């Protein structure tokens, strides 16, 4: 169940892009503490934080021997660590959660045998308040290739009071007459929730509509952080 609790990922003095959201993550997260060993490496799911917009995974990876960081010593350490961090896929109630095009993640080295990281998985469809979650990581998105698997029963109902989500199914058209191009787009879902707000659009096209800005009802422009497409 999502509840108030500390997340030790934020204990480091290292800068994190998600530090401004620490209070929200710690207001609604579940302390998991589930570990799995594979060879010399052990992966622990420290916390998960789920609302209507994002599934956030906080983890620790340890190794009995120094972690092999890809690339060369000339590559910045942060990049080498991030390239060695695991990437998660998720199955919700037996149905694979299709990832968006962009992976929102970061990681840092605690020492040469330990790294801590977080990954944000954008949700393009509504999840029930209670669901069965399978998290896995490996070389591909195939479960058979998974290096680590974690099965969890999740209850995010506590976050529901802070979330506003609708599926309006509103259609609109964008017509670029000067280049003879037209987009027929549908607003599938809009979610305003503690971990970030999302808008999900759909279109049948070889070159989908992605160039747009967001503005609120007061005329103010809103920062848009594209989470990719599928």
């Amino acid at each position: 169940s999502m509840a108030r609790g500390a997340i030790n990922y934020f204990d480091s003095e290292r800068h994190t892009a998600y530090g401004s959201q620490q209070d929200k993550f710690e207001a609604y997260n579940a302390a998991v503490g589930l570990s799995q060993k594979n060879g010399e490496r052990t992966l622990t799911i420290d916390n998960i934080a789920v609302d209507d917009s994002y599934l956030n995974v906080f983890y620790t990876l340890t190794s009995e021997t120094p972690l092999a960081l890809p690339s060369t010593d000339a590559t910045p350490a942060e990049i080498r660590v991030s390239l060695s961090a695991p990437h998660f896929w998720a199955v919700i109630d037996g149905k694979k959660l299709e990832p968006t095009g962009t992976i929102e993640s970061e990681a840092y080295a605690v020492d040469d045998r330990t790294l801590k990281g977080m990954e944000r998985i954008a949700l393009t469809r509504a999840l029930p308040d209670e669901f069965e979650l399978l998290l896995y990581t490996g070389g591909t998105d195939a479960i058979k290739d998974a290096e680590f698997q974690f099965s969890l029963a999740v209850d995010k109902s506590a976050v529901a009071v802070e979330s506003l989500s609708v599926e309006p199914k509103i259609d609109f058209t964008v017509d670029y007459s000067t280049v003879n191009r037209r987009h027929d787009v549908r607003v599938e879902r809009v979610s305003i929730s503690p971990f970030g707000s999302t808008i999900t659009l759909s279109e049948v096209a070889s070159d989908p509509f992605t160039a747009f800005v967001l503005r609120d009802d007061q005329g103010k422009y809103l920062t848009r952080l594209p989470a990719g497409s599928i």
Side-chain angles (χ1 to χ4, degrees), residues 15-195:
H15 169 75
T16 167
Y18 306 103
S20 62
Q21 293 177 276
Q22 178 179 351
D23 59 335
K24 295 179 180 178
F25 290 131
E26 294 190 335
Y28 298 104
N29 80 91
V32 179
L34 195 61
S35 298
Q36 195 173 95
K37 183 178 175 63
N38 186 336
E40 295 183 336
R41 300 191 306 159
T42 299
L43 181 63
T44 301
I45 304 297
D46 298 316
N47 306 77
I48 60 169
V50 191
D51 67 2
D52 281 1
S53 298
Y54 283 93
L55 165 60
N56 304 275
V57 183
F58 299 86
Y59 62 88
T60 302
L61 178 67
T62 61
S63 176
E64 296 172 5
T65 57
L67 288 164
L69 301 182
S71 195
T72 65
D73 291 340
T75 305
E78 282 192 4
I79 294 178
R80 298 185 72 201
V81 170
S82 65
L83 290 174
S84 64
H87 167 62
F88 291 91
W89 286 274
V91 176
I92 307 290
D93 288 338
K95 182 178 180 181
K96 183 181 173 185
L97 189 67
E98 294 292 349
T100 55
T102 301
I103 300 173
E104 296 182 71
S105 64
E106 60 179 28
Y108 62 88
V110 178
D111 52 48
D112 65 349
R113 302 185 183 200
T114 308
L115 68 80
K116 297 185 76 67
M118 71 169 290
E119 182 165 335
R120 284 163 57 81
I121 302 173
L123 303 176
T124 57
R125 59 181 171 90
L127 302 183
D129 284 347
E130 298 181 17
F131 56 88
E132 297 295 323
L133 170 64
L134 172 65
L135 279 176
Y136 64 98
T137 179
T140 72
D141 65 348
I143 296 179
K144 64 180 178 62
D145 297 328
E147 296 175 328
F148 302 95
Q149 293 187 48
F150 302 90
S151 295
L152 304 165
V154 179
D155 180 354
K156 70 176 183 67
S157 57
V159 197
V161 296
E162 299 286 346
S163 300
L164 297 171
S165 298
V166 294
E167 298 185 1
K169 309 297 183 184
I170 294 175
D171 297 321
F172 65 92
T173 298
V174 181
D175 193 350
Y176 295 103
S177 56
T178 56
V179 292
N180 194 28
R181 189 170 64 192
R182 172 190 172 108
H183 293 280
D184 295 308
V185 188
R186 169 165 288 187
V187 181
E188 297 283 358
R189 185 169 182 262
V190 179
S191 178
I192 301 172
S193 55
F195 304 146

